Amino acid sequence: MNEEHVKDTREELVSAREEKRQEIARAFNPNRMKVIRKELFANLRDPAVTIRDGNITFNTACINGLEDVVYVNLMIDEELGFLSVTGCDENDKGAIRWCVAKPDKRKSRKMRCPDFTDGIYKLLGWDKKCRYKILGYQIPFEGKVYYVFDLNVFQIFNEKPKKGEEPVDEAGEVQEVDTRKGYYPEDIANTFGVPMEQYKKETAVTDMDGYVTMAMFTGAEREDS
Amino acid sequence: MIAGEKTAVDSKQKIRTRYKGVDPSELEVIPAIATDEIALEERKLKVAAYVRVSTENDEQTSSYELQVNDFTDRINANPNWEFAGIYSDEGISGTELSHRKGMLQMIEDARAGKIDHILAKSIARFARNVVDCLSVIDELKKLGVGVHFDENNLYTLDTTGALVLTILATVAEEESRSKSFIMNWSIERRFSKGIFLTPKLLGYDVDENGELVVNPEEAETVKVIYDLYINGWSTTEIAELLTSYGRKTKLGNEVWNPTSIDGVIENERHCGDVRSRKTYTPDFKTHKSVKNRQNRKQYIQRNHHEAIVSRDVYNAANLLKSSHQYTAKSRPLPVLSVIDGGILTGYVPVDKNWSGFSTEDYQAACESVEVPSDDVKVTGRRLNMGGYQLVRPEYFPSIERPAMTISNGKLRFNTACLKKFEDVEYVELLLNTVKNCIAIRPCEKDNPNAIHWGKLREERWVVSTLGCKGLSRTLFDLMRWEDEGQYRFSGQYKAQGDNKLLIFELGEPVITKTVEQIVVPEQPDEAEEEEQQEEIVIREKVRVFPDSWRTSFGVPITAIVHASVLEQHHYAGDWDVLRPATELEEMNIFTADHLDQLMKEAETIMEGWTKTA
């Protein structure tokens, strides 16, 4: 009896689970789902660029993503706020060295460019006391690899204040600035991502008059663009 | 009388008594030594005379002799006088003291006590310059030497003399000024009527009518000088050559020096023209003549007389001469040429020192060849990067990137340029006025345009700063640059096999210049308002970026690549970087062939000469 009882219970359980599954399946509507932003997950090993007032740095993950590339072309779409990078020849027009190249390995490099970052901060209305980290999307296309960074989706970090510019509290005490903790702007922090339908639409790689748009890969094409 | 009044009367009496003085017999007198007064002097005076005539012509010579004799007789006739000599300046103007050896010697002797008294005919003979005249007389006066001017019966040691002297000296100076004016007016009139002064000139004789006629023997020398100079001989080399052949200068000397060669090349009369007033004398007192850089009116008469060299040859030689930096290296007259094939099609080789070609010349040369347009075939899918700009590499400073700097007539390439070319010490610079680009390609040391841009020292490239007056003039004109400062251009290195090439786009230089700011420091509160703080001038180096940098991060990708994918297009044809340029016959007065002909002419003439040394 005991055995029967166990068997019954198991069957009941299975049927209950099946019922639940069917219930969920019935309720599941991909169009109601959102694709969670990868920015919301730990992203230490993801390709990223950090922009500071005065210099920009591509992280090691980014550099490793473009095999053997030492010189890059940096491209910017001011309207969309996209930064893109791709490998090029040392002597190509616009070639910039993005890493420290040693015989055995390539290392991340702080690229000094005060006049460039000046323009970026102005373009995006950023705060010069902060640094901005942007995750990159790798796009292989016709044998060439591109990284695209959507400068509108960033993680913001406080920079160590300069001497004499440290913030003070009401009592006049110098406050510690946490330079390690990153924040997202509200519109990113308060949502999980974009609805599935929009994501699908945006990421469908289609040929339009023979052109493939970069935004299709990143899922961030603006509606007005 | 009250007591007070009595005291006052006593005091007055005392003063009166004191001022009556003592009995003169009680005083001993030590007489003062009387100043030199000609009439009172008892000892024999050492008397000299000063004589000056301004020109050396015969009439004046007689005047001079008369003056000398007259003074000698007068001094000898006076028993109280001792003859101390006649000091004279013949053929020398009275307006400047420094040339007058006689006068200077006289002053020297007066200082040495050899002269007590000087006789002169008139103030005008003595000096025509108020300041000089008065200062000499003053100095003589301090030495106790008086000057007697016969004309006005004026004696400088008289008390009344000084004022009269000043007036008369002023008159003398004024007289000289008016004479100078009259002379200038006369010269001006002569020139304006085409009556030129024709001083002696190598290659010509002056006939009885004052006309220049060619002297065939001398004309040979003139021709050889021009021919060799245009072919890149230095004036020193030509002078040595003429000396070795014993050729005579106009003055009959057989020794030539570079300056006399310069003189021959510069003289427009060799090509048949006459230009008046090449020099003028700005100050009638100093007599220094200076070059007339349109300070005075000049007159030129073309084809005034028979030419020895053609006007083209004359102009070419003087063009060459005006480019000192260029001629310093003994190079022949440059020839305008253009590259008509390969990756550098349309580029014009430029000598950085040569300023003889105008910007328009370079433009015409560059535009004289047609640059085939590059057709790029686009196939398959393309990544649309239409909205993207290629970020300027200049935002990312790097010592690895080739750069060229032009400032203040100087040219400099950074070591990155030299490293890119690896083992190239000499390069040629080419200009494209259509693309507004400068190209740099390797060349041989003996290329006339060769730029020695640096050298290897202990396995490291050391760059040189080079003069580039001609190039910089052309670029400033072509690009309409106005700012002073350092113009820096990023270079693009291109290589394909042995073909090496650097391209510098001239359109977007980064200009570094020094700006001065005048700052008045803030006054501290306690400072008085009247106390003006000193202004401080702050010099600061600023970098000026091109205007376009303010509005964009770079050039649109579509402007760089034809297909909208960032695959940089490289020149598809045969690069042929070292392709020699083709001479533009129609644009050059002298092609290499013409220069050869001139050289042959010189050689033929010299065959008839015999070496003397």
Side-chain angles (χ1 to χ4, degrees), chain B residues 53-179:
Chain B
V53 288
S54 53
T55 57
E56 284 180 285
N57 67 22
D58 294 348
E59 276 175 46
Q60 294 238 326
T61 309
S62 55
S63 156
Y64 172 80
E65 288 302 323
L66 274 175
Q67 286 184 55
V68 171
N69 293 339
D70 176 50
F71 284 130
T72 315
D73 292 349
R74 269 170 62 195
I75 297 167
N76 290 332
N78 191 327
N80 294 326
W81 288 355
E82 181 188 326
F83 184 75
I86 304 279
Y87 296 88
S88 65
D89 287 306
E90 199 174 354
I92 288 170
S93 161
T95 48
E96 205 190 21
L97 187 62
S98 59
H99 299 310
R100 293 159 64 188
K101 286 185 188 151
M103 172 68 90
L104 294 172
Q105 183 61 47
M106 185 173 75
I107 296 167
E108 198 54 42
D109 288 352
R111 283 198 196 113
K114 294 180 188 167
I115 304 169
D116 296 321
H117 184 67
I118 296 166
L119 300 177
K121 196 172 142 196
S122 68
I123 293 172
R125 295 296 98 205
F126 201 76
R128 284 232 191 246
N129 176 322
V130 184
V131 178
D132 279 355
C133 175
L134 294 181
S135 68
V136 168
I137 286 169
D138 201 45
E139 168 148 24
L140 292 172
K141 203 167 172 181
K142 279 182 193 147
L143 296 166
V145 180
V147 185
H148 186 267
F149 296 107
D150 290 349
E151 191 181 62
N152 323 93
N153 196 22
L154 189 76
Y155 182 54
T156 56
L157 295 186
D158 269 351
T159 42
T160 51
L163 177 67
V164 180
L165 191 73
T166 312
I167 295 166
L168 291 176
T170 312
V171 171
E173 182 179 308
E174 207 42 49
E175 201 181 349
S176 180
R177 188 197 306 277
S178 70
K179 271 191 185 163

Side-chain angles (χ1 to χ4, degrees), chain B residues 23 61 98 143 179 186 210 251 377 414 464 508 517 605:
Chain B
D23 183 352
T61 309
S98 59
L143 296 166
K179 271 191 185 163
S186 145
L251 296 174
K377 280 179 195 151
N414 67 357
S464 325
E508 297 196 333
Q517 238 183 330
I605 292 172

Side-chain angles (χ1 to χ4, degrees), chain B residues 161-210:
Chain B
L163 177 67
V164 180
L165 191 73
T166 312
I167 295 166
L168 291 176
T170 312
V171 171
E173 182 179 308
E174 207 42 49
E175 201 181 349
S176 180
R177 188 197 306 277
S178 70
K179 271 191 185 163
S180 160
F181 175 81
I182 291 165
M183 280 306 290
N184 273 324
W185 181 87
S186 145
I187 288 171
E188 174 66 34
R189 293 289 298 166
R190 281 176 63 121
F191 291 166
S192 69
K193 291 211 174 294
I195 306 161
F196 294 102
L197 298 172
T198 46
K200 284 178 181 171
L201 177 68
L202 186 75
Y204 291 98
D205 292 325
V206 181
D207 68 8
E208 55 275 18
N209 302 322

Side-chain angles (χ1 to χ4, degrees), chain B residues 22 43 53 100 120 127 170 196 286 288 309 315 437 483 527 563:
Chain B
V22 292
R43 68 181 169 92
V53 288
R100 293 159 64 188
T170 312
F196 294 102
T286 59
K288 274 200 182 117
V309 295
N315 288 341
C437 281
D483 279 330

